[in-house]
């Protein structure tokens, strides 16, 4: 900025200015604020932040100060000093500009609009609502407050769309009617929502939810069906966005809505006669120097791929090896934005800046690959307990071959998936599930990222940055040193190998240490009552209701009658299994009919004399130990089971409370009916909730142990869920949630049972 023939520093140019800033809780916005607070002492910044349910806008800004981006300021001022500085130099306004911009004060000299929906594939209405309609709302709100500021609109270099060749720093050439597109995007939400409510669609969601959750109970099924409906709506709106973008020449809904957003604000500022600068960074990555070398907030575009590559998970990736991957460190972008802010164009004019590296310092895709590979070869990622990850060599075989590889891998994992879900419960099943999940995650990852970013690694475009270079050249020498943004000077080897890769892989190195620590159960002694709830079959003992029946029945039959009884029970096993898979309650109802006419006294006697001992021998020693440990910790132990009451008696002394199925009795004999619905699936969680309410117990501190996915509602109800020798679905869930997984194993040797010879009936 030239004043009286002397170039002023940008700090001087912005001195005394009132700045309005959005997006401060985001990656870029927080460093803009940090830099303003650190180096522009005579500025005042008003922040527009949307509050959340648990945190007001002001809370969110205060929380920001604890983040690593503010470490330099914290060191300089101390925590209290920084809070005071924030109080003095900023004003926070709560607002969500996509919905309604609150009344804004006047007097802003500069308005930096950094906030946006940055996801590449947002649902189409969300993209328009924020990046176009939201930006219009915001600019109108600022003008309505009486300010006539220099608007600095943060856009992206990729608004240029799927063009090839050189992209200049100027307005985009397209004739898309942004008002019509925005209107139809909002209407798409209504259309898709109503399509998702058609009976045949709802039936599909119910059927799919039923396949997975019918054993847990009807409300789990309906809850899941509604989640599936919402996910379908989102996916569909993402498709609307992606396809509409592609038909008009943009790779995705993000760049499409940002491009139309640019046009909308250009029109608005021209009409209002206020200056507009549009800053278009390319792919923003970690800081080269400020606020710290390698500083990054979350993982950005290239980072998930770099990390997965370092873990040896990406054998190939689509993309043109000589295509330019246009990266730019976040501090360069922030410095450029501040220099732009200090240099407004004339009123009513719009100027465009490409903050990018591809034109003067191109980093080709294969160079990026080689530098990253070298980094991992010298600094491999540790593999959990097994040495180090080896990184694959990419051949760049072309997109068609990569696609074919992905399709093959997908077919393979689909078949493997079907096999493992039907394997019986065992350690081998759990290993197989882990390995299939890992393969599936790899394939899904490469597929998703090559779909999302394929177009960015195939680009044959170069964003010229002559205006940015001229701006940089116009700065004072001091500013050029203090606020560098000349991408021509970036040393990619140093940036990638010494700064960026170490930063984005640090958490993986820490994670692998943490990962080795398996989630474990910790028994806490507390003053208030704590429950430890145990499922029985498959958790405490290996037996199930069919087996208990068979043992009791055999105990009572002459050996010559065993084969016919065996045939009768096992002939029905497939039918029982099918019913059990669909609805455990129905299975129990059907099965307990076999007790019709059995003498209560006789069954009790048989259990007491023979079957009880057998069941105790079938109990897992680890289970019994754990129940005792809970008792020793002062916890109340509860056994909850679908087994009929008499069969639980042998285990009853271990527990403070035993809840089982009650069989109806008439004149000393079982009728074959149950006297109350069986406690399975959600009914267990419902029972537990009612019980803790009566007893004044806080579920947060309680424990539950179970082995089957149908017990998910019970496990979810407590603060300390533990899965024991789980089935494949529960094993997956537990791994995702990092719940402890225990295998209590069998007691050694087969139990010996002596059979009496007397009739049950
Ligand atoms: N990251 C990149 O590689 C890249 C590259 C080129 C250009 N850009 C551009 O740079 C800008 C900043 O990107 P970023 O990476 O910092 O994004 P980010 O980390 O996702 O942050 C987005 C910010 O926008 C805020 N926001 C979104 N919708 C809002 C609304 N309706 N009302 C109020 N605040 C809202 C978010 O607030 P909440 O915390 O409340 O969600 C957050 O503070 C964007 O304009 C983006 O297009 C980014």
């Amino acid at each position: 900025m030239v004043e009286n023939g002397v170039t002023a520093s940008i700090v001087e140019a912005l001195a005394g200015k009132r700045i309005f800033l959005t997006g401060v809780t985001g990656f870029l916005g927080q460093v803009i604020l940090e830099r303003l607070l650190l180096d522009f002492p005579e500025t005042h910044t008003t922040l527009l932040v949307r509050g959340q349910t648990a945190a007001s806008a002001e809370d969110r800004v205060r929380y920001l100060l604890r983040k690593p981006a503010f470490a330099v300021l914290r060191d300089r001022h101390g925590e209290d000093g920084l809070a005071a500085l924030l109080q003095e130099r900023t004003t926070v306004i709560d607002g969500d500009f996509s919905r309604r911009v609150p009344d804004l004060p006047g007097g802003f000299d500069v308005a930096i609009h950094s906030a946006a929906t940055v996801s590449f594939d947002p649902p189409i209405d969300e993209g328009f609502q924020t990046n176009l309609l939201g930006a219009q709302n915001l600019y109108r709100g600022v003008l309505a407050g009486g300010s006539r500021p220099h608007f600095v609109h943060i856009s992206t270099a990729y608004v240029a769309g799927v063009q090839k060749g050189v992209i200049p720093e100027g307005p985009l050439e397209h004739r898309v009617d942004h008002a019509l597109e925005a209107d139809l995007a909002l209407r798409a939400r209504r259309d898709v929502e109503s399509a998702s409510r058609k009976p045949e669609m709802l039936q599909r969601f119910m059927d799919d939810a039923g396949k997975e959750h019918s054993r847990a109970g009807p409300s789990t099924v309906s809850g899941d069906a509604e989640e599936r409906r919402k996910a379908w709506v989102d996916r569909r709106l993402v498709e609307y966005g992606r396809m509409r973008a592609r038909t008009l020449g943009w790779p995705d809904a993000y760049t499409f809505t940002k491009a139309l957003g640019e046009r909308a604000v250009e029109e608005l500022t021209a009409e209002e006669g206020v200056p507009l600068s549009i800053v278009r960074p390319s792919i923003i990555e970690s800081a080269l120097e400020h606020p710290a070398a390698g500083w990054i907030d979350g993982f950005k575009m290239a980072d998930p791929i770099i990390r997965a590559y370092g873990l040896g998970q990406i054998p190939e990736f689509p993309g043109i090896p000589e295509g330019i991957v246009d990266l730019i460190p976040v501090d360069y972008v922030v410095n450029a934005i501040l220099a732009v802010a200090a240099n407004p164009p004339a009123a009513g004019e719009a100027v465009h800046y490409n903050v990018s590296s591809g034109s003067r310092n191109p980093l080709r895709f294969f160079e990026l690959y080689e530098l990253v590979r070298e980094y991992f070869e010298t600094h491999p990622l540790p593999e959990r307990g097994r040495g180090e990850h080896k990184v694959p060599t990419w051949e760049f075989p072309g997109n068609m071959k990569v696609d074919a590889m992905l399709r093959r891998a997908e077919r393979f994992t689909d078949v493997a998936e079907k096999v493992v879900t039907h394997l019986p419960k065992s350690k081998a099943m759990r290993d197989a599930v882990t390995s299939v999940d890992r393969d599936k995650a790899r394939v899904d990852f490469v597929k998703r990222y090559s779909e999302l970013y394929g177009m960015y690694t195939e680009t044959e475009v170069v964003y010229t940055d002559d205006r940015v270079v001229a701006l940089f050249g116009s700065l004072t020498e001091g500013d050029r040193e203090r606020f560098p943004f000349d991408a021509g000077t970036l040393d990619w080897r140093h940036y990638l190998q010494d700064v960026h890769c170490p930063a984005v892989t640090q958490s993986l190195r820490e994670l692998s240490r943490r990962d080795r620590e398996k989630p474990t159960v910790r028994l806490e002694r507390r003053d208030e009552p704590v429950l430890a709830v145990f499922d029985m079959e498959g958790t405490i003992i290996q037996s199930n209701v069919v087996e208990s029946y068979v043992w009791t029945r055999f105990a009572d039959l002459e050996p010559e009658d065993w084969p016919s009884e065996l045939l009768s029970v096992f002939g029905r096993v497939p039918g029982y299994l099918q019913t059990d898979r669909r609805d455990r309650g129905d299975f129990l109802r059907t099965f307990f009919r076999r007790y019709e006419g059995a003498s209560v006294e006789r069954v009790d006697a048989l259990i007491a004399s023979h079957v009880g001992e057998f069941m105790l021998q079938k109990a897992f020693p680890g289970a019994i130990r754990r129940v005792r440990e809970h008792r020793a910790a002062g916890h109340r132990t509860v056994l909850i089971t679908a087994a009929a009451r008499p069969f639980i008696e042998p285990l009853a002394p271990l527990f403070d409370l035993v809840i089982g199925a009650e069989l109806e009795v008439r004149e000393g004999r079982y009728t074959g009916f149950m006297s109350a619905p069986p406690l399975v699936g959600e009914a267990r969680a419902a029972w537990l909730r009612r019980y803790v309410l009566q007893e004044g117990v806080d579920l947060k501190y309680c424990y539950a142990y179970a082995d089957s996915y149908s017990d998910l509602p019970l496990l979810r109800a407590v603060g300390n869920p533990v899965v024991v020798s789980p089935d494949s679905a529960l094993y997956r869930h537990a791994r995702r949630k990092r719940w402890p997984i225990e295998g209590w194993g069998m007691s050694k040797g087969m139990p010996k049972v002596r059979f009496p010879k007397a009739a049950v009936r």
Side-chain angles (χ1 to χ4, degrees):
M1 173 151 216
V2 182
E3 277 173 6
N4 309 325
V6 181
T7 305
S9 84
I10 58 173
V11 177
E12 286 160 3
L14 289 176
K17 302 282 188 226
R18 298 184 72 81
I19 298 169
F20 177 74
L21 175 63
T22 67
V24 73
T25 52
F27 173 41
L28 188 60
Q30 58 185 296
V31 195
I32 301 177
L33 173 65
E34 188 266 352
R35 208 76 222 240
L36 283 169
L37 291 175
L38 186 70
D39 288 319
F40 295 78
E42 289 171 50
T43 53
H44 183 94
T45 309
T46 298
L47 308 166
L48 184 81
V49 176
R50 51 183 169 183
Q52 292 170 336
T53 332
S56 69
E58 291 203 340
D59 291 340
R60 293 191 69 196
V61 176
R62 268 196 299 276
Y63 170 74
L64 268 182
L65 301 185
R66 288 193 241 143
K67 295 185 75 173
F70 291 81
V72 177
L73 274 166
R74 270 198 310 274
D75 284 350
R76 187 175 293 180
H77 298 277
E79 290 202 2
D80 294 344
L82 182 52
L85 184 74
L86 187 79
Q87 186 77 18
E88 184 195 330
R89 301 258 320 271
T90 65
T91 305
V92 180
I93 296 180
D94 191 335
D96 178 338
F97 58 80
S98 301
R99 294 161 194 266
R100 199 189 73 81
V101 178
D103 291 341
L104 296 175
F108 297 130
D109 303 291
V110 181
I112 305 175
H113 180 38
S114 179
T117 287
V118 180
S119 150
F120 282 89
D121 52 0
I124 192 166
D125 59 322
E126 259 179 58
F128 271 94
Q129 194 78 60
T130 310
N131 295 346
L132 191 147
L133 300 168
Q136 279 178 324
N137 286 345
L138 185 85
Y139 283 38
R140 289 194 186 115
V142 170
L143 293 167
S147 305
R148 313 283 299 164
H150 167 205
F151 281 104
V152 179
H153 183 86
I154 313 304
S155 186
T156 160
Y158 294 94
V159 285
V162 291
Q163 303 181 46
K164 291 188 179 196
V166 172
I167 310 288
E169 295 165 288
L172 300 171
E173 283 177 23
H174 67 81
R175 291 173 178 279
V176 180
D177 180 342
H178 59 76
L180 178 70
E181 292 299 324
D183 184 36
L184 291 170
L186 298 195
R187 263 200 253 167
R189 165 75 60 179
R190 276 192 76 80
D191 295 348
V192 174
E193 284 281 358
S194 86
S196 75
R197 287 171 167 81
K198 291 201 169 128
E200 52 281 11
M201 289 301 293
L202 295 174
Q203 187 64 53
R204 201 176 100 190
F205 302 133
M206 281 296 282
D207 288 348
D208 291 347
K211 270 185 212 137
E212 211 170 299
H213 296 289
S214 62
R215 294 183 82 219
S219 67
T220 310
V221 172
S222 57
D224 186 61
E226 179 58 5
E227 287 309 312
R228 283 171 194 264
R229 190 194 65 77
K230 286 185 191 155
W232 181 85
V233 168
D234 269 358
R235 275 200 307 277
R236 197 87 184 105
L237 287 168
V238 166
E239 275 173 45
Y240 269 56
R242 192 182 302 145
M243 286 320 296
R244 188 61 190 140
R246 290 192 177 170
T247 51
L248 290 171
W250 282 276
D252 46 49
Y254 165 62
T255 48
F256 173 44
T257 53
K258 288 289 281 188
L260 300 195
E262 272 195 11
R263 176 59 47 84
V265 299
E266 281 163 4
E267 287 170 4
L268 203 153
T269 50
E271 259 170 44
E272 294 286 337
V274 286
L276 171 69
S277 298
I278 293 189
V279 178
R280 295 176 180 153
S282 52
I283 302 169
I284 310 178
E285 289 291 356
S286 66
L288 180 65
E289 284 175 353
H290 190 89
W295 174 85
I296 193 162
D297 191 47
F299 296 117
K300 305 299 152 192
M301 192 171 157
D303 315 330
I305 301 171
I306 292 179
R307 287 159 58 95
Y309 177 74
L311 292 168
Q313 291 177 346
I314 310 187
E316 275 299 344
F317 202 75
I320 303 171
E322 64 282 5
I324 295 169
V325 184
D326 202 313
L327 306 184
I328 188 88
V330 62
D331 37 357
Y332 275 36
V333 179
V334 171
N335 295 341
I337 290 172
L338 294 170
V340 166
N343 287 277
E349 248 183 51
V351 289
H352 302 75
Y353 297 91
N354 286 343
V355 186
S356 51
S357 58
S359 160
R360 287 173 308 112
N361 190 1
L363 174 68
R364 315 247 165 227
F365 190 25
F366 74 85
E367 289 166 346
L368 169 65
Y369 155 74
E370 280 176 351
L371 289 172
V372 171
R373 197 186 67 195
E374 265 178 43
Y375 168 77
F376 282 118
E377 279 171 354
T378 13
H379 307 281
L381 290 173
E383 191 175 2
R384 212 186 302 168
R386 268 172 285 161
E388 286 154 347
H389 285 283
K390 272 188 111 139
V391 285
T393 305
W394 286 359
E395 305 284 344
F396 296 95
N399 292 359
M400 279 175 34
K401 282 210 172 129
V402 176
D403 271 359
M405 268 170 57
L406 278 175
R407 276 199 303 276
R408 261 199 318 277
E410 231 177 352
R411 276 198 302 274
F412 175 78
T413 50
D414 283 352
V415 172
E417 162 80 21
K418 284 201 184 95
V419 173
V420 296
T421 44
H422 287 93
L423 289 177
K425 296 192 324 175
S426 65
K427 167 90 172 63
M429 174 278 284
R430 296 205 292 273
D431 290 347
V433 170
T434 310
S435 141
V436 169
D437 283 358
R438 202 170 36 223
D439 290 347
K440 235 172 117 42
R442 277 181 200 174
V443 176
D444 288 350
F445 178 93
V446 180
K447 207 167 156 242
R448 179 170 156 68
Y449 278 87
S450 51
E451 265 170 29
L452 263 184
Y453 297 157
M455 290 181 112
Y456 293 83
T457 51
E458 279 165 31
T459 48
E460 294 173 66
V461 297
V462 175
Y463 305 102
T464 58
D465 59 348
D466 301 341
R467 190 170 273 136
V468 168
V469 175
L471 176 66
F472 188 68
S474 75
L475 301 185
T476 62
E477 210 179 308
D479 278 358
R480 286 203 293 268
E481 240 173 64
R482 202 169 168 200
F483 304 105
F485 57 91
D486 178 6
T489 60
L490 285 170
D491 170 352
W492 291 120
R493 178 176 294 275
H494 165 65
Y495 177 68
L496 286 166
Q497 298 191 341
D498 304 331
V499 178
H500 187 67
C501 288
V504 298
T505 55
Q506 190 190 346
S507 64
L508 279 179
R509 296 175 199 282
E510 283 162 8
L511 190 73
S512 85
R513 270 197 298 277
R514 199 182 55 125
D515 246 24
R516 262 178 253 146
E517 293 161 20
K518 279 195 181 161
T520 46
V521 191
R522 274 192 204 95
L523 304 198
E524 261 187 73
R525 182 178 278 282
R526 303 190 65 84
D527 293 336
E528 65 264 61
V530 172
L531 300 183
V533 184
F534 293 79
D535 162 55
M536 187 173 95
E537 291 154 338
T539 304
I540 296 280
I541 62 170
Q542 207 198 19
S543 157
N544 56 40
V545 283
V546 179
E547 210 178 328
S548 322
Y549 170 85
V550 171
W551 289 118
T552 326
R553 192 85 184 94
F554 279 17
D556 209 42
L557 286 178
E558 294 294 339
E560 57 267 27
D561 294 330
W562 290 5
S564 62
E565 180 62 16
L566 263 184
L567 271 182
S568 157
V569 176
F570 290 110
R572 287 177 199 222
V573 161
Y576 288 144
L577 281 179
Q578 215 177 16
T579 322
D580 189 25
R581 233 173 267 137
R582 216 181 39 241
D583 186 325
R584 190 143 174 77
D586 268 1
F587 157 71
L588 292 168
R589 264 181 221 106
T590 317
F591 189 80
F592 285 146
R593 300 279 296 147
R594 297 192 77 94
Y595 286 91
E596 184 180 352
S599 147
V600 174
E601 201 183 319
R602 188 80 202 118
V603 170
D604 284 354
L606 281 171
I607 290 172
S609 59
H610 300 92
V611 185
E613 179 198 334
F614 166 76
M615 285 180 68
L616 280 174
Q617 287 177 30
K618 285 207 103 178
F620 299 126
I624 295 177
R625 238 187 341 265
R626 181 59 50 84
V627 177
R628 290 196 174 126
E629 282 163 7
H630 274 288
R631 283 192 141 177
H635 301 166
R636 204 181 298 169
T637 53
V638 179
L639 179 68
I640 190 161
T641 172
R645 237 195 189 278
F647 293 98
I648 319 165
E649 291 310 325
L651 294 171
L654 280 174
F655 295 91
D656 298 306
L657 181 64
V658 170
I659 309 291
E662 298 289 349
L663 300 184
E664 198 181 59
V665 176
R666 216 173 279 160
E667 291 167 14
R669 289 186 182 273
Y670 291 113
T671 62
F673 293 109
M674 301 173 74
S675 35
L679 271 186
V680 291
E682 310 173 334
R684 291 187 175 187
W687 175 87
L688 183 63
R689 285 205 187 88
R690 205 185 55 220
Y691 180 76
V692 295
L693 209 66
Q694 284 163 357
E695 300 289 314
V697 177
D698 189 341
L699 277 174
K700 195 162 64 220
Y701 303 115
C702 294
Y703 300 76
Y705 295 81
D707 70 316
S708 154
Y709 192 68
S710 63
D711 277 321
L712 203 57
L714 173 74
L715 292 163
R716 276 186 183 145
V718 297
N720 299 296
V722 185
V723 307
V724 183
S725 310
D727 58 28
S728 60
L730 185 60
Y731 175 62
R732 270 207 173 111
H733 190 87
R735 265 170 38 102
R736 258 201 317 272
K737 296 279 177 193
R738 289 188 61 76
W739 288 351
I741 299 173
E742 307 236 339
W744 284 338
M746 273 288 299
S747 52
K748 291 212 177 69
M750 276 307 287
K752 290 191 183 64
V753 186
R754 225 170 15 91
F755 296 120
K757 292 181 191 160
V760 172
R761 286 160 204 245

